[in-house]
Amino acid sequence: MTNSDDFAAYIAGLPRVLAGAAALFRDSEGRVLLVEPNYREGWALPGGTVESDDGETPRQGARRETAEEIGLDRPLGRLLAVDWVHGTARPPLVAYLYDGGVLGEDDLKAIRLQEEELLSWRLVPREELTDHLPDALGRRVLAALDVLADGSGTAELENGRRVE
């Protein structure tokens, strides 16, 4: 066995983790842009899987997914939250959430949904977010909104809850 074979075996035996990335867009009233996937119940943020096998970074993945899903290709702002989400039927997920900024009327009119994956979009006020976003995702978005409101640094989360 060569050193490269040993290294390949070592890498194959390491634990696995998934990576996802999304963008948090708001309107001038502070409502959050949510999308409705057609492949599962509930709502989500524009975003998805980071194509790390192709060398994609979380920031690049969030921007690509946003462009694909809602037709807005724009640079993203700072990293608002990183969330380690335990899985039951999947490996753990590391979810990166970036500031997508405030969308004006022209931006909202320019939204074009990816019909293969999405049914609709809507703007949701903070107090209704956890009615639309399940569990860790709802808590993650609220933590990110808090970071934006108080100007603090990136929120470190586990299952949507701040790590103390």
Side-chain angles (χ1 to χ4, degrees):
M1 218 179 218
T2 68
N3 283 343
S4 64
D5 290 338
D6 290 342
F7 185 71
Y10 167 74
I11 294 297
L14 289 176
R16 298 285 177 240
V17 63
L18 304 174
L24 181 65
F25 293 102
R26 286 114 36 233
D27 71 355
S28 60
E29 297 176 34
R31 296 175 299 179
V32 175
L33 175 72
L34 302 183
V35 293
E36 183 183 19
N38 62 17
Y39 51 86
R40 67 172 172 77
E41 291 292 315
W43 293 80
L45 293 174
T49 302
V50 177
E51 301 294 341
S52 57
D53 286 351
D54 296 334
E56 187 173 67
T57 68
R59 179 176 294 277
Q60 291 167 338
R63 183 171 179 171
R64 175 188 51 77
E65 286 282 350
T66 297
E68 289 175 3
E69 290 187 350
I70 61 173
L72 298 180
D73 184 13
R74 54 196 296 155
L76 299 175
R78 70 186 184 107
L79 180 63
L80 300 173
V82 177
D83 194 1
W84 180 273
V85 184
H86 296 281
T88 50
R90 61 159 173 74
L93 167 72
V94 178
Y96 297 84
L97 183 51
Y98 294 93
D99 183 4
V102 175
L103 301 176
E105 280 301 314
D106 290 344
D107 297 315
L108 295 171
K109 289 177 184 171
I111 291 175
R112 298 293 175 263
L113 291 178
Q114 180 183 33
E115 293 180 5
E116 298 81 25
E117 291 186 15
L118 300 177
L119 298 171
S120 65
W121 66 272
R122 71 183 339 170
L123 294 164
V124 177
R126 179 188 176 104
E127 58 273 8
E128 295 176 20
L129 284 170
T130 55
D131 295 337
H132 292 83
L133 300 174
D135 308 320
L137 178 55
R139 292 188 299 269
R140 183 180 321 135
V141 172
L142 292 177
L145 289 172
D146 289 344
V147 164
L148 285 167
D150 64 24
S152 59
T154 302
E156 179 186 354
L157 309 171
E158 290 177 8
N159 296 312
R161 293 182 177 89
R162 282 191 180 264
V163 175
E164 299 297 327

mmCIF file with all atom_site columns, all heavy atoms in Angstrom, residues 13 16 18 23 28 30-31 38 40 44 54 56 68 76 94 102 106 110 121 129 133 141 151 153-154 161:
data_model
loop_
_atom_site.group_PDB
_atom_site.id
_atom_site.type_symbol
_atom_site.label_atom_id
_atom_site.label_alt_id
_atom_site.label_comp_id
_atom_site.label_asym_id
_atom_site.label_entity_id
_atom_site.label_seq_id
_atom_site.pdbx_PDB_ins_code
_atom_site.Cartn_x
_atom_site.Cartn_y
_atom_site.Cartn_z
_atom_site.occupancy
_atom_site.B_iso_or_equiv
_atom_site.pdbx_formal_charge
_atom_site.auth_seq_id
_atom_site.auth_comp_id
_atom_site.auth_asym_id
_atom_site.auth_atom_id
_atom_site.pdbx_PDB_model_num
ATOM 1   N N   . GLY A 1 13  ? -12.460 7.172  6.150   1.00 0.00 ? 13  GLY A N   1
ATOM 2   C CA  . GLY A 1 13  ? -12.928 6.784  7.468   1.00 0.00 ? 13  GLY A CA  1
ATOM 3   C C   . GLY A 1 13  ? -13.288 7.948  8.382   1.00 0.00 ? 13  GLY A C   1
ATOM 4   O O   . GLY A 1 13  ? -13.768 7.729  9.495   1.00 0.00 ? 13  GLY A O   1
ATOM 5   N N   . ARG A 1 16  ? -18.494 12.370 8.593   1.00 0.00 ? 16  ARG A N   1
ATOM 6   C CA  . ARG A 1 16  ? -19.052 13.215 7.538   1.00 0.00 ? 16  ARG A CA  1
ATOM 7   C C   . ARG A 1 16  ? -19.911 14.315 8.138   1.00 0.00 ? 16  ARG A C   1
ATOM 8   O O   . ARG A 1 16  ? -20.536 14.135 9.178   1.00 0.00 ? 16  ARG A O   1
ATOM 9   C CB  . ARG A 1 16  ? -19.920 12.394 6.582   1.00 0.00 ? 16  ARG A CB  1
ATOM 10  C CG  . ARG A 1 16  ? -19.170 11.311 5.852   1.00 0.00 ? 16  ARG A CG  1
ATOM 11  C CD  . ARG A 1 16  ? -18.306 11.920 4.761   1.00 0.00 ? 16  ARG A CD  1
ATOM 12  N NE  . ARG A 1 16  ? -17.532 10.910 4.099   1.00 0.00 ? 16  ARG A NE  1
ATOM 13  C CZ  . ARG A 1 16  ? -16.207 10.883 4.055   1.00 0.00 ? 16  ARG A CZ  1
ATOM 14  N NH1 . ARG A 1 16  ? -15.504 11.821 4.652   1.00 0.00 ? 16  ARG A NH1 1
ATOM 15  N NH2 . ARG A 1 16  ? -15.569 9.934  3.423   1.00 0.00 ? 16  ARG A NH2 1
ATOM 16  N N   . LEU A 1 18  ? -22.536 17.633 6.517   1.00 0.00 ? 18  LEU A N   1
ATOM 17  C CA  . LEU A 1 18  ? -23.097 18.346 5.377   1.00 0.00 ? 18  LEU A CA  1
ATOM 18  C C   . LEU A 1 18  ? -22.937 19.844 5.601   1.00 0.00 ? 18  LEU A C   1
ATOM 19  O O   . LEU A 1 18  ? -22.859 20.295 6.742   1.00 0.00 ? 18  LEU A O   1
ATOM 20  C CB  . LEU A 1 18  ? -24.578 18.004 5.218   1.00 0.00 ? 18  LEU A CB  1
ATOM 21  C CG  . LEU A 1 18  ? -24.929 16.530 5.080   1.00 0.00 ? 18  LEU A CG  1
ATOM 22  C CD1 . LEU A 1 18  ? -26.437 16.340 5.082   1.00 0.00 ? 18  LEU A CD1 1
ATOM 23  C CD2 . LEU A 1 18  ? -24.312 15.943 3.823   1.00 0.00 ? 18  LEU A CD2 1
ATOM 24  N N   . ALA A 1 23  ? -29.212 32.949 2.447   1.00 0.00 ? 23  ALA A N   1
ATOM 25  C CA  . ALA A 1 23  ? -29.161 34.403 2.552   1.00 0.00 ? 23  ALA A CA  1
ATOM 26  C C   . ALA A 1 23  ? -30.409 34.902 3.256   1.00 0.00 ? 23  ALA A C   1
ATOM 27  O O   . ALA A 1 23  ? -31.516 34.406 3.008   1.00 0.00 ? 23  ALA A O   1
ATOM 28  C CB  . ALA A 1 23  ? -29.052 35.039 1.172   1.00 0.00 ? 23  ALA A CB  1
ATOM 29  N N   . SER A 1 28  ? -37.971 46.821 3.430   1.00 0.00 ? 28  SER A N   1
ATOM 30  C CA  . SER A 1 28  ? -37.781 48.058 4.174   1.00 0.00 ? 28  SER A CA  1
ATOM 31  C C   . SER A 1 28  ? -38.523 48.057 5.514   1.00 0.00 ? 28  SER A C   1
ATOM 32  O O   . SER A 1 28  ? -38.200 48.835 6.405   1.00 0.00 ? 28  SER A O   1
ATOM 33  C CB  . SER A 1 28  ? -38.231 49.262 3.336   1.00 0.00 ? 28  SER A CB  1
ATOM 34  O OG  . SER A 1 28  ? -39.604 49.124 3.005   1.00 0.00 ? 28  SER A OG  1
ATOM 35  N N   . GLY A 1 30  ? -38.528 45.371 7.423   1.00 0.00 ? 30  GLY A N   1
ATOM 36  C CA  . GLY A 1 30  ? -37.872 44.370 8.250   1.00 0.00 ? 30  GLY A CA  1
ATOM 37  C C   . GLY A 1 30  ? -38.422 42.966 8.113   1.00 0.00 ? 30  GLY A C   1
ATOM 38  O O   . GLY A 1 30  ? -38.001 42.053 8.823   1.00 0.00 ? 30  GLY A O   1
ATOM 39  N N   . ARG A 1 31  ? -39.377 42.788 7.203   1.00 0.00 ? 31  ARG A N   1
ATOM 40  C CA  . ARG A 1 31  ? -39.917 41.442 6.990   1.00 0.00 ? 31  ARG A CA  1
ATOM 41  C C   . ARG A 1 31  ? -38.878 40.592 6.261   1.00 0.00 ? 31  ARG A C   1
ATOM 42  O O   . ARG A 1 31  ? -38.099 41.100 5.451   1.00 0.00 ? 31  ARG A O   1
ATOM 43  C CB  . ARG A 1 31  ? -41.216 41.502 6.191   1.00 0.00 ? 31  ARG A CB  1
ATOM 44  C CG  . ARG A 1 31  ? -42.328 42.231 6.938   1.00 0.00 ? 31  ARG A CG  1
ATOM 45  C CD  . ARG A 1 31  ? -43.564 42.379 6.096   1.00 0.00 ? 31  ARG A CD  1
ATOM 46  N NE  . ARG A 1 31  ? -43.278 43.167 4.895   1.00 0.00 ? 31  ARG A NE  1
ATOM 47  C CZ  . ARG A 1 31  ? -44.164 43.449 3.946   1.00 0.00 ? 31  ARG A CZ  1
ATOM 48  N NH1 . ARG A 1 31  ? -45.398 43.010 4.051   1.00 0.00 ? 31  ARG A NH1 1
ATOM 49  N NH2 . ARG A 1 31  ? -43.821 44.172 2.900   1.00 0.00 ? 31  ARG A NH2 1
ATOM 50  N N   . ASN A 1 38  ? -41.170 22.904 -3.099  1.00 0.00 ? 38  ASN A N   1
ATOM 51  C CA  . ASN A 1 38  ? -42.196 21.943 -3.529  1.00 0.00 ? 38  ASN A CA  1
ATOM 52  C C   . ASN A 1 38  ? -41.844 20.515 -3.132  1.00 0.00 ? 38  ASN A C   1
ATOM 53  O O   . ASN A 1 38  ? -42.638 19.603 -3.330  1.00 0.00 ? 38  ASN A O   1
ATOM 54  C CB  . ASN A 1 38  ? -42.424 22.023 -5.039  1.00 0.00 ? 38  ASN A CB  1
ATOM 55  C CG  . ASN A 1 38  ? -41.194 21.680 -5.851  1.00 0.00 ? 38  ASN A CG  1
ATOM 56  O OD1 . ASN A 1 38  ? -40.240 21.084 -5.360  1.00 0.00 ? 38  ASN A OD1 1
ATOM 57  N ND2 . ASN A 1 38  ? -41.194 22.061 -7.116  1.00 0.00 ? 38  ASN A ND2 1
ATOM 58  N N   . ARG A 1 40  ? -40.885 19.531 0.047   1.00 0.00 ? 40  ARG A N   1
ATOM 59  C CA  . ARG A 1 40  ? -41.173 19.245 1.452   1.00 0.00 ? 40  ARG A CA  1
ATOM 60  C C   . ARG A 1 40  ? -42.150 20.287 1.981   1.00 0.00 ? 40  ARG A C   1
ATOM 61  O O   . ARG A 1 40  ? -42.349 21.333 1.387   1.00 0.00 ? 40  ARG A O   1
ATOM 62  C CB  . ARG A 1 40  ? -39.906 19.216 2.298   1.00 0.00 ? 40  ARG A CB  1
ATOM 63  C CG  . ARG A 1 40  ? -39.211 20.549 2.436   1.00 0.00 ? 40  ARG A CG  1
ATOM 64  C CD  . ARG A 1 40  ? -38.078 20.449 3.463   1.00 0.00 ? 40  ARG A CD  1
ATOM 65  N NE  . ARG A 1 40  ? -37.277 21.636 3.490   1.00 0.00 ? 40  ARG A NE  1
ATOM 66  C CZ  . ARG A 1 40  ? -37.612 22.789 4.069   1.00 0.00 ? 40  ARG A CZ  1
ATOM 67  N NH1 . ARG A 1 40  ? -38.776 22.897 4.672   1.00 0.00 ? 40  ARG A NH1 1
ATOM 68  N NH2 . ARG A 1 40  ? -36.808 23.830 4.048   1.00 0.00 ? 40  ARG A NH2 1
ATOM 69  N N   . ALA A 1 44  ? -38.703 28.075 3.829   1.00 0.00 ? 44  ALA A N   1
ATOM 70  C CA  . ALA A 1 44  ? -37.248 28.091 3.985   1.00 0.00 ? 44  ALA A CA  1
ATOM 71  C C   . ALA A 1 44  ? -36.715 29.457 3.570   1.00 0.00 ? 44  ALA A C   1
ATOM 72  O O   . ALA A 1 44  ? -37.457 30.315 3.094   1.00 0.00 ? 44  ALA A O   1
ATOM 73  C CB  . ALA A 1 44  ? -36.612 26.998 3.124   1.00 0.00 ? 44  ALA A CB  1
ATOM 74  N N   . ASP A 1 54  ? -17.002 20.298 -5.366  1.00 0.00 ? 54  ASP A N   1
ATOM 75  C CA  . ASP A 1 54  ? -16.587 21.079 -6.542  1.00 0.00 ? 54  ASP A CA  1
ATOM 76  C C   . ASP A 1 54  ? -15.756 22.305 -6.155  1.00 0.00 ? 54  ASP A C   1
ATOM 77  O O   . ASP A 1 54  ? -15.491 23.163 -7.001  1.00 0.00 ? 54  ASP A O   1
ATOM 78  C CB  . ASP A 1 54  ? -17.825 21.548 -7.326  1.00 0.00 ? 54  ASP A CB  1
ATOM 79  C CG  . ASP A 1 54  ? -18.616 20.380 -7.890  1.00 0.00 ? 54  ASP A CG  1
ATOM 80  O OD1 . ASP A 1 54  ? -18.020 19.308 -8.129  1.00 0.00 ? 54  ASP A OD1 1
ATOM 81  O OD2 . ASP A 1 54  ? -19.830 20.529 -8.084  1.00 0.00 ? 54  ASP A OD2 1
ATOM 82  N N   . GLU A 1 56  ? -16.657 24.661 -3.957  1.00 0.00 ? 56  GLU A N   1
ATOM 83  C CA  . GLU A 1 56  ? -17.477 25.816 -3.618  1.00 0.00 ? 56  GLU A CA  1
ATOM 84  C C   . GLU A 1 56  ? -17.374 26.123 -2.119  1.00 0.00 ? 56  GLU A C   1
ATOM 85  O O   . GLU A 1 56  ? -17.381 25.219 -1.288  1.00 0.00 ? 56  GLU A O   1
ATOM 86  C CB  . GLU A 1 56  ? -18.929 25.529 -3.993  1.00 0.00 ? 56  GLU A CB  1
ATOM 87  C CG  . GLU A 1 56  ? -19.867 26.704 -3.838  1.00 0.00 ? 56  GLU A CG  1
ATOM 88  C CD  . GLU A 1 56  ? -21.247 26.396 -4.384  1.00 0.00 ? 56  GLU A CD  1
ATOM 89  O OE1 . GLU A 1 56  ? -21.935 25.532 -3.799  1.00 0.00 ? 56  GLU A OE1 1
ATOM 90  O OE2 . GLU A 1 56  ? -21.617 27.007 -5.402  1.00 0.00 ? 56  GLU A OE2 1
ATOM 91  N N   . GLU A 1 68  ? -30.069 30.964 -8.345  1.00 0.00 ? 68  GLU A N   1
ATOM 92  C CA  . GLU A 1 68  ? -30.857 29.899 -8.966  1.00 0.00 ? 68  GLU A CA  1
ATOM 93  C C   . GLU A 1 68  ? -32.307 29.928 -8.493  1.00 0.00 ? 68  GLU A C   1
ATOM 94  O O   . GLU A 1 68  ? -33.229 29.768 -9.289  1.00 0.00 ? 68  GLU A O   1
ATOM 95  C CB  . GLU A 1 68  ? -30.257 28.528 -8.628  1.00 0.00 ? 68  GLU A CB  1
ATOM 96  C CG  . GLU A 1 68  ? -28.938 28.233 -9.319  1.00 0.00 ? 68  GLU A CG  1
ATOM 97  C CD  . GLU A 1 68  ? -28.325 26.919 -8.868  1.00 0.00 ? 68  GLU A CD  1
ATOM 98  O OE1 . GLU A 1 68  ? -28.943 26.189 -8.051  1.00 0.00 ? 68  GLU A OE1 1
ATOM 99  O OE2 . GLU A 1 68  ? -27.210 26.615 -9.330  1.00 0.00 ? 68  GLU A OE2 1
ATOM 100 N N   . LEU A 1 76  ? -23.199 39.005 -1.198  1.00 0.00 ? 76  LEU A N   1
ATOM 101 C CA  . LEU A 1 76  ? -23.819 38.890 0.111   1.00 0.00 ? 76  LEU A CA  1
ATOM 102 C C   . LEU A 1 76  ? -22.987 39.634 1.146   1.00 0.00 ? 76  LEU A C   1
ATOM 103 O O   . LEU A 1 76  ? -21.779 39.789 0.996   1.00 0.00 ? 76  LEU A O   1
ATOM 104 C CB  . LEU A 1 76  ? -23.955 37.421 0.497   1.00 0.00 ? 76  LEU A CB  1
ATOM 105 C CG  . LEU A 1 76  ? -24.831 36.598 -0.446  1.00 0.00 ? 76  LEU A CG  1
ATOM 106 C CD1 . LEU A 1 76  ? -24.807 35.139 -0.064  1.00 0.00 ? 76  LEU A CD1 1
ATOM 107 C CD2 . LEU A 1 76  ? -26.252 37.131 -0.477  1.00 0.00 ? 76  LEU A CD2 1
ATOM 108 N N   . VAL A 1 94  ? -23.824 21.780 8.946   1.00 0.00 ? 94  VAL A N   1
ATOM 109 C CA  . VAL A 1 94  ? -23.331 23.091 9.332   1.00 0.00 ? 94  VAL A CA  1
ATOM 110 C C   . VAL A 1 94  ? -24.018 24.081 8.396   1.00 0.00 ? 94  VAL A C   1
ATOM 111 O O   . VAL A 1 94  ? -23.852 24.012 7.176   1.00 0.00 ? 94  VAL A O   1
ATOM 112 C CB  . VAL A 1 94  ? -21.797 23.211 9.204   1.00 0.00 ? 94  VAL A CB  1
ATOM 113 C CG1 . VAL A 1 94  ? -21.345 24.614 9.572   1.00 0.00 ? 94  VAL A CG1 1
ATOM 114 C CG2 . VAL A 1 94  ? -21.114 22.185 10.088  1.00 0.00 ? 94  VAL A CG2 1
ATOM 115 N N   . VAL A 1 102 ? -31.245 44.537 2.374   1.00 0.00 ? 102 VAL A N   1
ATOM 116 C CA  . VAL A 1 102 ? -32.627 45.001 2.280   1.00 0.00 ? 102 VAL A CA  1
ATOM 117 C C   . VAL A 1 102 ? -32.996 45.118 0.801   1.00 0.00 ? 102 VAL A C   1
ATOM 118 O O   . VAL A 1 102 ? -32.274 45.743 0.019   1.00 0.00 ? 102 VAL A O   1
ATOM 119 C CB  . VAL A 1 102 ? -32.803 46.359 2.991   1.00 0.00 ? 102 VAL A CB  1
ATOM 120 C CG1 . VAL A 1 102 ? -34.210 46.901 2.796   1.00 0.00 ? 102 VAL A CG1 1
ATOM 121 C CG2 . VAL A 1 102 ? -32.476 46.212 4.480   1.00 0.00 ? 102 VAL A CG2 1
ATOM 122 N N   . ASP A 1 106 ? -37.990 47.409 -6.564  1.00 0.00 ? 106 ASP A N   1
ATOM 123 C CA  . ASP A 1 106 ? -37.494 46.877 -7.839  1.00 0.00 ? 106 ASP A CA  1
ATOM 124 C C   . ASP A 1 106 ? -36.905 45.488 -7.666  1.00 0.00 ? 106 ASP A C   1
ATOM 125 O O   . ASP A 1 106 ? -37.081 44.621 -8.526  1.00 0.00 ? 106 ASP A O   1
ATOM 126 C CB  . ASP A 1 106 ? -36.454 47.816 -8.455  1.00 0.00 ? 106 ASP A CB  1
ATOM 127 C CG  . ASP A 1 106 ? -37.074 49.116 -8.970  1.00 0.00 ? 106 ASP A CG  1
ATOM 128 O OD1 . ASP A 1 106 ? -38.319 49.163 -9.135  1.00 0.00 ? 106 ASP A OD1 1
ATOM 129 O OD2 . ASP A 1 106 ? -36.313 50.084 -9.194  1.00 0.00 ? 106 ASP A OD2 1
ATOM 130 N N   . ALA A 1 110 ? -38.213 41.884 -9.253  1.00 0.00 ? 110 ALA A N   1
ATOM 131 C CA  . ALA A 1 110 ? -37.290 41.114 -10.092 1.00 0.00 ? 110 ALA A CA  1
ATOM 132 C C   . ALA A 1 110 ? -37.185 39.652 -9.678  1.00 0.00 ? 110 ALA A C   1
ATOM 133 O O   . ALA A 1 110 ? -36.542 38.854 -10.372 1.00 0.00 ? 110 ALA A O   1
ATOM 134 C CB  . ALA A 1 110 ? -35.895 41.756 -10.051 1.00 0.00 ? 110 ALA A CB  1
ATOM 135 N N   . TRP A 1 121 ? -43.122 32.648 -2.807  1.00 0.00 ? 121 TRP A N   1
ATOM 136 C CA  . TRP A 1 121 ? -42.310 33.385 -1.845  1.00 0.00 ? 121 TRP A CA  1
ATOM 137 C C   . TRP A 1 121 ? -43.214 34.363 -1.115  1.00 0.00 ? 121 TRP A C   1
ATOM 138 O O   . TRP A 1 121 ? -44.301 34.679 -1.575  1.00 0.00 ? 121 TRP A O   1
ATOM 139 C CB  . TRP A 1 121 ? -41.127 34.099 -2.509  1.00 0.00 ? 121 TRP A CB  1
ATOM 140 C CG  . TRP A 1 121 ? -41.496 35.202 -3.461  1.00 0.00 ? 121 TRP A CG  1
ATOM 141 C CD1 . TRP A 1 121 ? -41.768 35.058 -4.793  1.00 0.00 ? 121 TRP A CD1 1
ATOM 142 C CD2 . TRP A 1 121 ? -41.636 36.595 -3.172  1.00 0.00 ? 121 TRP A CD2 1
ATOM 143 N NE1 . TRP A 1 121 ? -42.068 36.286 -5.345  1.00 0.00 ? 121 TRP A NE1 1
ATOM 144 C CE2 . TRP A 1 121 ? -41.986 37.242 -4.375  1.00 0.00 ? 121 TRP A CE2 1
ATOM 145 C CE3 . TRP A 1 121 ? -41.490 37.374 -2.023  1.00 0.00 ? 121 TRP A CE3 1
ATOM 146 C CZ2 . TRP A 1 121 ? -42.198 38.621 -4.450  1.00 0.00 ? 121 TRP A CZ2 1
ATOM 147 C CZ3 . TRP A 1 121 ? -41.701 38.750 -2.101  1.00 0.00 ? 121 TRP A CZ3 1
ATOM 148 C CH2 . TRP A 1 121 ? -42.042 39.353 -3.311  1.00 0.00 ? 121 TRP A CH2 1
ATOM 149 N N   . LEU A 1 129 ? -42.250 34.443 12.159  1.00 0.00 ? 129 LEU A N   1
ATOM 150 C CA  . LEU A 1 129 ? -41.235 33.578 11.542  1.00 0.00 ? 129 LEU A CA  1
ATOM 151 C C   . LEU A 1 129 ? -41.282 32.144 12.044  1.00 0.00 ? 129 LEU A C   1
ATOM 152 O O   . LEU A 1 129 ? -41.214 31.206 11.250  1.00 0.00 ? 129 LEU A O   1
ATOM 153 C CB  . LEU A 1 129 ? -39.834 34.165 11.744  1.00 0.00 ? 129 LEU A CB  1
ATOM 154 C CG  . LEU A 1 129 ? -39.507 35.340 10.843  1.00 0.00 ? 129 LEU A CG  1
ATOM 155 C CD1 . LEU A 1 129 ? -38.218 36.008 11.285  1.00 0.00 ? 129 LEU A CD1 1
ATOM 156 C CD2 . LEU A 1 129 ? -39.421 34.896 9.383   1.00 0.00 ? 129 LEU A CD2 1
ATOM 157 N N   . LEU A 1 133 ? -41.121 28.773 9.884   1.00 0.00 ? 133 LEU A N   1
ATOM 158 C CA  . LEU A 1 133 ? -39.825 28.084 9.830   1.00 0.00 ? 133 LEU A CA  1
ATOM 159 C C   . LEU A 1 133 ? -39.709 27.116 10.998  1.00 0.00 ? 133 LEU A C   1
ATOM 160 O O   . LEU A 1 133 ? -39.829 27.512 12.154  1.00 0.00 ? 133 LEU A O   1
ATOM 161 C CB  . LEU A 1 133 ? -38.681 29.104 9.886   1.00 0.00 ? 133 LEU A CB  1
ATOM 162 C CG  . LEU A 1 133 ? -38.659 30.128 8.754   1.00 0.00 ? 133 LEU A CG  1
ATOM 163 C CD1 . LEU A 1 133 ? -37.573 31.154 9.009   1.00 0.00 ? 133 LEU A CD1 1
ATOM 164 C CD2 . LEU A 1 133 ? -38.458 29.438 7.410   1.00 0.00 ? 133 LEU A CD2 1
ATOM 165 N N   . VAL A 1 141 ? -32.802 32.069 12.245  1.00 0.00 ? 141 VAL A N   1
ATOM 166 C CA  . VAL A 1 141 ? -33.182 33.345 11.627  1.00 0.00 ? 141 VAL A CA  1
ATOM 167 C C   . VAL A 1 141 ? -33.384 34.415 12.700  1.00 0.00 ? 141 VAL A C   1
ATOM 168 O O   . VAL A 1 141 ? -32.938 35.555 12.533  1.00 0.00 ? 141 VAL A O   1
ATOM 169 C CB  . VAL A 1 141 ? -34.431 33.167 10.737  1.00 0.00 ? 141 VAL A CB  1
ATOM 170 C CG1 . VAL A 1 141 ? -34.944 34.513 10.264  1.00 0.00 ? 141 VAL A CG1 1
ATOM 171 C CG2 . VAL A 1 141 ? -34.101 32.270 9.550   1.00 0.00 ? 141 VAL A CG2 1
ATOM 172 N N   . GLY A 1 151 ? -25.793 44.728 16.172  1.00 0.00 ? 151 GLY A N   1
ATOM 173 C CA  . GLY A 1 151 ? -24.462 44.941 15.624  1.00 0.00 ? 151 GLY A CA  1
ATOM 174 C C   . GLY A 1 151 ? -23.400 44.022 16.187  1.00 0.00 ? 151 GLY A C   1
ATOM 175 O O   . GLY A 1 151 ? -22.203 44.281 16.037  1.00 0.00 ? 151 GLY A O   1
ATOM 176 N N   . GLY A 1 153 ? -21.280 40.315 16.762  1.00 0.00 ? 153 GLY A N   1
ATOM 177 C CA  . GLY A 1 153 ? -20.582 39.437 15.831  1.00 0.00 ? 153 GLY A CA  1
ATOM 178 C C   . GLY A 1 153 ? -21.430 38.239 15.444  1.00 0.00 ? 153 GLY A C   1
ATOM 179 O O   . GLY A 1 153 ? -22.558 38.060 15.928  1.00 0.00 ? 153 GLY A O   1
ATOM 180 N N   . THR A 1 154 ? -20.881 37.413 14.599  1.00 0.00 ? 154 THR A N   1
ATOM 181 C CA  . THR A 1 154 ? -21.547 36.209 14.114  1.00 0.00 ? 154 THR A CA  1
ATOM 182 C C   . THR A 1 154 ? -22.034 35.360 15.286  1.00 0.00 ? 154 THR A C   1
ATOM 183 O O   . THR A 1 154 ? -21.295 35.135 16.245  1.00 0.00 ? 154 THR A O   1
ATOM 184 C CB  . THR A 1 154 ? -20.574 35.383 13.246  1.00 0.00 ? 154 THR A CB  1
ATOM 185 O OG1 . THR A 1 154 ? -20.129 36.208 12.163  1.00 0.00 ? 154 THR A OG1 1
ATOM 186 C CG2 . THR A 1 154 ? -21.233 34.135 12.702  1.00 0.00 ? 154 THR A CG2 1
ATOM 187 N N   . ARG A 1 161 ? -29.728 27.305 18.728  1.00 0.00 ? 161 ARG A N   1
ATOM 188 C CA  . ARG A 1 161 ? -29.590 27.975 20.026  1.00 0.00 ? 161 ARG A CA  1
ATOM 189 C C   . ARG A 1 161 ? -28.167 28.483 20.199  1.00 0.00 ? 161 ARG A C   1
ATOM 190 O O   . ARG A 1 161 ? -27.211 27.782 19.878  1.00 0.00 ? 161 ARG A O   1
ATOM 191 C CB  . ARG A 1 161 ? -29.947 27.014 21.149  1.00 0.00 ? 161 ARG A CB  1
ATOM 192 C CG  . ARG A 1 161 ? -31.402 26.632 21.139  1.00 0.00 ? 161 ARG A CG  1
ATOM 193 C CD  . ARG A 1 161 ? -31.768 25.704 22.305  1.00 0.00 ? 161 ARG A CD  1
ATOM 194 N NE  . ARG A 1 161 ? -33.181 25.415 22.304  1.00 0.00 ? 161 ARG A NE  1
ATOM 195 C CZ  . ARG A 1 161 ? -33.735 24.399 21.637  1.00 0.00 ? 161 ARG A CZ  1
ATOM 196 N NH1 . ARG A 1 161 ? -32.989 23.606 20.908  1.00 0.00 ? 161 ARG A NH1 1
ATOM 197 N NH2 . ARG A 1 161 ? -35.038 24.209 21.687  1.00 0.00 ? 161 ARG A NH2 1
#
